[in-house]
Amino acid sequence: SIFGILSITALSGIGPILSQAVSRGMEGSLFLALKAKIKWGLIGSLASIGISTYYYINGALILAFAFLIASIFIPFMNALNIYQDYLLGKKKFKDSSISYSLSQLLAVLIVILTLFLTKNLFVIFIIYLSSWTLIRLFFFIRTIKKYPPNNRIDPATISYGKQSSFIDFLA
């Protein structure tokens, strides 16, 4: 739950704004949005490191290491999922549905396999986060190779995305 809350800093509301920009032909906004999501996600990483430090100082080593591990993935895991919003903006609904379904299936299978192989909580957590991140990276790269974005950028994407993310944060 806390991982999800810390991930809000990665501009969670920018996706629909990007979809709108892409649907208007401003496909170059994809890379701008990805950079912004990663940059702002670093705030969540710093917060996670702060929480990790707190738990370490208070002797809760399991939680300290869990938050330290999470801090590595916060800027990237959800940021790479922006390819979904890009596909929706390009009206590639079939590709969006297929990639979403495959990523869900692969992540679940990897975690189930991990649960059969180990009972180590840290290994399970690392596999969970890294599998989601790598799956999303794969589909991001696949998407931009299949549908290369043009160079047109909507400069309002980031500012509107920040506003939308702030509203998400309040919720």
Side-chain angles (χ1 to χ4, degrees), residues 62-113:
I62 292 174
L63 288 172
F65 289 124
F67 279 101
L68 190 61
I69 292 166
S71 71
I72 296 166
F73 292 95
I74 287 172
F76 306 105
M77 190 169 112
N78 290 328
L80 290 168
N81 201 36
I82 202 155
Y83 76 90
Q84 283 286 338
D85 301 297
Y86 179 74
L87 288 172
L88 293 174
K90 289 189 70 63
K91 297 179 178 70
K92 302 296 182 185
F93 304 117
K94 183 179 177 183
D95 282 347
S96 175
S97 295
I98 290 171
S99 63
Y100 176 79
S101 298
L102 281 175
S103 64
Q104 295 284 329
L105 181 64
L106 285 171
V108 167
L109 289 175
I110 290 169
V111 170
I112 288 172
L113 179 64

Side-chain angles (χ1 to χ4, degrees), residues 28-91:
S29 300
L30 170 67
F31 296 114
L32 191 66
L34 177 66
K35 254 194 267 185
K37 284 181 74 68
I38 291 171
K39 182 176 115 181
W40 282 86
L42 292 172
I43 294 170
S45 286
L46 290 174
S48 189
I49 291 169
I51 294 168
S52 173
T53 303
Y54 169 82
Y55 281 123
Y56 182 79
I57 289 169
N58 288 297
L61 297 181
I62 292 174
L63 288 172
F65 289 124
F67 279 101
L68 190 61
I69 292 166
S71 71
I72 296 166
F73 292 95
I74 287 172
F76 306 105
M77 190 169 112
N78 290 328
L80 290 168
N81 201 36
I82 202 155
Y83 76 90
Q84 283 286 338
D85 301 297
Y86 179 74
L87 288 172
L88 293 174
K90 289 189 70 63
K91 297 179 178 70

